[in-house]
Amino acid sequence: MMGNPKIENTEVVHGNPQELPKKVLAFVSEIAQLCQPDKIWLCDGSEDENKDFTRLMLEENLVINLPKYENCVLARTNPQDVARMESKTYICTEEKREAIPEPKPGVKGTLGNWMSLKQLDEEIKSRFPGCMKGRTLYLLPFSMGPIGSPISHVGIQASDSVYVAASMRIMTRMGKNVYKVLGDKDFVKCIHSVGVPLPAQKPIINNWPCDPEKTMVAHKTKTNEIWSYGSGYGGNSLLGKKCFSLRIGSAIARREGWLAEHMLIVGITNPQGVKKYIVGAFPSQCGKTNLAMLTSPIPGYKIECVGDDIAWMRFDENGVLRAINPEFGFFGVCPGTNHHTNPVAMDMIFKNTIFTNVAKTSDGGVFWEGLEKELKTHVSITSWTGEKHWTRDSGKPAAHPNARFCTPLVNCPILDPHWNSPEGVPISAILFGGRRPEGIPLIYETRSWKHGVYAGASVSSEATSAAEYKGHKVMHDPFSARPFLSYNAGKYIEHWLQMEKDYRKMPKIFHVNWFRKNKEGHYLWPGFGENIRVLDWIMRRCDNEPIAVESPIGLLPKEGSINLEGLPDPINWEELFELPEDFWKREMNDIETYFNQQIGDDLPPAIREEIENQKKRLGISK
Ligand code: TSX
Ligand code: MN
């Protein structure tokens, strides 16, 4: 009998190393030599393989079954490993200034963490050698974007977590067909370890191996490498998502002249049958996933979803901006998701889904904050931390606030027919937005591409429970990409400015705010499905309907030009759109101070001009 094949003396328990392209074989050999796994599993993306992943996760007690649903499991993590770790995320370049702007002396920079390439080598040497001992190295070939699309890119991830393998299979186009389009070409090298070689030196909490003290997520943007250690969670470990699609992606996009953005992509057909696609960037906690699959309460509108998190966009030869969703699944926040906020999501997440850190019901289902009205009365709840018979009196939430569903795109009942088209969908409008309780109107249209880029760079949002920042503070989040910037923010803004070319049909840029409150603290806009009324106004503006009026900050809807018919409660138009003088004085000063302190000399002069011009229009003198 022939034994299993070997790579670097390590047994290959699944797949055939001879089928690997040369460069892929060299990569896995190198990583196996460094990390010394017990076994190597070459993933093929097949259905059988996925059954193996599920069986292995169940055997390792990494997940439990959810018999109430079809092929759903629940993972509960070590409570110290529940979110992306911004403070441990690094961009590694030769020069610091390439990665982050120089903040004003005495000011702490907030636009990313830099590490030298030399330092990274040291950090790798102190973590990765032998880090996969006793574990299986899963080699995951994946395509971000439709396989073979000119906008798509290939990555190969080595990971010692079967949860990561199963999740990457949902979130990316993972499988050995990737090797056919890859051939001898280069790929993004993704190395991930939970950082717990066996036998473990410390107890493994919740059967979730991780090493929070030594967690590091590092990006070599010049050579397209990602080194992630110590965390099994989400963006730290599913390297196709934030690390590749946004950080490495935007570095490639800068070199190649396109855009890799933290944006949803949605198609809207109006009652006249006219369809347009828009992309939208929103900071966390703004309901991006809800907007990406909005349900219109007004008949005649059709919403179709292309993606809820990331857009890769390129101008085609006709000057049309085209977008693809590089992802293959949704990795959405559970708490707050229910039949009111997102009925479409409720229709898609109860099959073929990996839940993480939600609570469990005694009938084999899931529960989280926001599902109270949908809970059967006879069931009992076990919280995400394993507290049995959980009740609201427990004082702690049943589900972790960052609990997630990981669901394939194809589950989405309103998935756009062109979601997988290699050429991407044509984009008519770009939305920026934030959670702004004060001063910012429901919607405004920017005056030009330049003014729109300024608006994107100036985005701020109230952070409610963002992983590492507590309290209710309005924080700057340029392009909603602050946690995902992989090169100097000033150069990033510059790159956006340079997108504008005469022959190109530049999309209009809008700013929206669903979260304005009145003096009593009540929301002025019902939001959710009713946002279709704002999207309709945007679509009409894309056709240049004369329904806008000039204001100092951009074009506002003419009074009455947003359809308010049939809303349950009256809308206070005046309060929804007013531009309080004192607020805007503070706002402009705040934006200017932020740019000066954080971006300094790297801020493009065009943005300074936009600030000066807007101040003039607002009547703010020096
Ligand atoms: O997702 C939201 N959207 C976009 C929906 C397409 N949320 C939830 C944000 C947390 C993730 C919103 N919250 C939106 C919104 O448009 N608006 C609000 C604020 C709001 C909350 C509750 C009500 C009204 C506005 N009213 C009632 O619940 C009755
Ligand atoms: Mn996101």
Side-chain angles (χ1 to χ4, degrees), residues 84 241-242 246 262 282 284 288 308-310 404 480 484:
R84 272 189 297 109
K241 198 174 176 63
K242 306 300 191 183
L246 290 172
H262 190 212
F282 296 85
S284 59
K288 209 161 99 200
D308 78 328
D309 199 34
I310 301 170
R404 299 280 171 151
S480 308
F484 314 116

Side-chain angles (χ1 to χ4, degrees), residues 376-522:
K376 295 211 174 73
T377 46
H378 65 271
V379 301
S380 76
I381 294 169
T382 303
S383 79
W384 76 280
T385 56
E387 180 188 340
K388 293 210 166 83
H389 304 287
W390 176 94
T391 64
R392 273 182 306 177
D393 308 327
S394 141
K396 287 183 239 150
H400 187 278
N402 193 37
R404 299 280 171 151
F405 55 80
C406 181
T407 298
L409 291 184
V410 294
N411 274 16
C412 181
I414 59 160
L415 191 62
D416 191 77
H418 300 291
W419 70 276
N420 201 24
S421 99
E423 66 273 24
V425 297
I427 300 304
S428 299
I430 298 172
L431 266 51
F432 291 112
R435 180 184 275 268
R436 298 300 301 267
E438 213 195 324
I440 312 284
L442 174 64
I443 168 92
Y444 66 89
E445 177 186 330
T446 61
R447 304 160 54 87
S448 63
W449 182 258
K450 238 171 76 175
H451 186 235
V453 173
Y454 154 76
S458 309
V459 163
S460 293
S461 197
E462 188 182 54
T464 48
S465 69
E468 291 172 84
Y469 305 91
K470 296 279 176 242
H472 286 251
K473 204 173 170 286
V474 173
M475 299 203 325
H476 289 274
D477 189 353
F479 297 87
S480 308
R482 194 190 46 78
F484 314 116
L485 295 173
S486 67
Y487 61 91
N488 186 307
K491 303 293 167 201
Y492 188 96
I493 299 169
E494 182 70 44
H495 182 65
W496 263 79
L497 289 168
Q498 284 170 359
M499 283 296 123
E500 188 176 24
K501 303 262 157 54
D502 275 346
Y503 75 94
R504 289 179 174 170
K505 302 173 183 77
M506 302 311 289
K508 279 185 193 280
I509 301 179
F510 299 83
H511 188 283
V512 297
N513 175 25
W514 319 128
F515 301 94
R516 194 169 188 176
K517 291 176 176 174
N518 65 12
K519 278 155 212 85
E520 289 76 52
H522 296 133

Side-chain angles (χ1 to χ4, degrees), residues 180-191:
K180 288 203 193 86
V181 294
L182 180 63
D184 308 327
K185 293 197 284 291
D186 286 317
F187 49 87
V188 177
K189 292 177 177 166
C190 309
I191 303 98

Side-chain angles (χ1 to χ4, degrees), residues 323-349:
I324 64 160
N325 174 7
E327 301 196 276
F328 200 54
F330 301 103
F331 187 67
V333 173
C334 292
T337 303
N338 59 43
H339 279 100
H340 171 65
T341 60
N342 196 335
V344 172
M346 295 300 285
D347 263 2
M348 73 180 193
I349 58 178

Side-chain angles (χ1 to χ4, degrees), residues 33 110 113 152 171 204 227 272 334 351 354-356 359 368 400 412 422 431 453 484 507 530 535:
Q33 195 169 43
T110 57
N113 307 309
S152 298
M171 293 306 297
I204 297 176
W227 291 83
Q272 291 75 48
C334 292
K351 58 177 185 221
I354 301 174
F355 291 97
T356 304
W368 52 73
H400 187 278
C412 181
L431 266 51
V453 173
F484 314 116
E530 307 294 359
L535 300 180

Side-chain angles (χ1 to χ4, degrees), residues 21-220:
K22 231 188 284 167
K23 283 182 179 165
V24 177
L25 182 61
F27 171 63
V28 63
S29 304
E30 188 193 325
I31 300 306
Q33 195 169 43
L34 176 68
C35 303
Q36 296 167 34
D38 248 25
K39 302 168 191 165
I40 293 174
W41 183 302
L42 304 173
C43 300
D44 59 24
S46 67
E47 201 50 60
D48 276 354
E49 177 182 73
N50 192 43
K51 289 207 177 81
D52 288 333
F53 291 162
T54 307
R55 179 179 52 78
L56 286 163
M57 289 195 291
L58 287 164
E59 279 172 17
E60 289 181 28
N61 291 316
L62 203 58
V63 299
I64 54 173
N65 242 322
L66 293 168
K68 188 170 171 184
Y69 316 122
E70 189 189 327
N71 192 29
C72 291
V73 294
L74 164 58
R76 285 175 296 193
T77 72
N78 179 322
Q80 290 193 75
D81 190 21
V82 293
R84 272 189 297 109
M85 297 235 254
E86 255 175 55
S87 58
K88 305 199 169 192
T89 300
Y90 299 91
I91 305 303
C92 306
T93 53
E94 231 140 88
E95 299 290 328
K96 185 171 181 180
R97 188 82 174 262
E98 293 171 53
I100 53 178
E102 184 68 31
K104 266 259 172 66
V107 175
K108 195 191 169 307
T110 57
L111 293 169
N113 307 309
W114 176 76
M115 188 188 281
S116 72
L117 293 165
K118 206 170 134 234
Q119 180 71 27
L120 176 61
D121 276 341
E122 294 303 314
E123 302 296 339
I124 289 172
K125 274 189 207 139
S126 73
R127 287 173 175 79
F128 284 89
C131 68
M132 296 186 183
K133 275 191 182 148
R135 296 190 180 278
T136 302
L137 183 162
Y138 295 90
L139 192 75
L140 301 148
F142 62 97
S143 172
M144 297 316 291
I147 290 177
S149 158
I151 313 181
S152 298
H153 283 78
V154 166
I156 313 281
Q157 177 164 347
S159 173
D160 57 6
S161 161
V162 64
Y163 166 88
V164 166
S167 303
M168 281 290 285
R169 185 180 185 275
I170 295 172
M171 293 306 297
T172 73
R173 291 147 172 102
M174 190 278 277
K176 64 179 179 185
N177 48 351
V178 166
Y179 293 136
K180 288 203 193 86
V181 294
L182 180 63
D184 308 327
K185 293 197 284 291
D186 286 317
F187 49 87
V188 177
K189 292 177 177 166
C190 309
I191 303 98
H192 168 255
S193 173
V194 294
V196 184
L198 297 173
Q201 300 300 299
K202 282 181 257 175
I204 297 176
I205 295 164
N206 275 347
N207 302 308
W208 181 271
C210 61
D211 189 350
E213 278 92 63
K214 284 175 116 178
T215 293
M216 170 184 88
V217 183
H219 307 71
K220 291 168 84 167

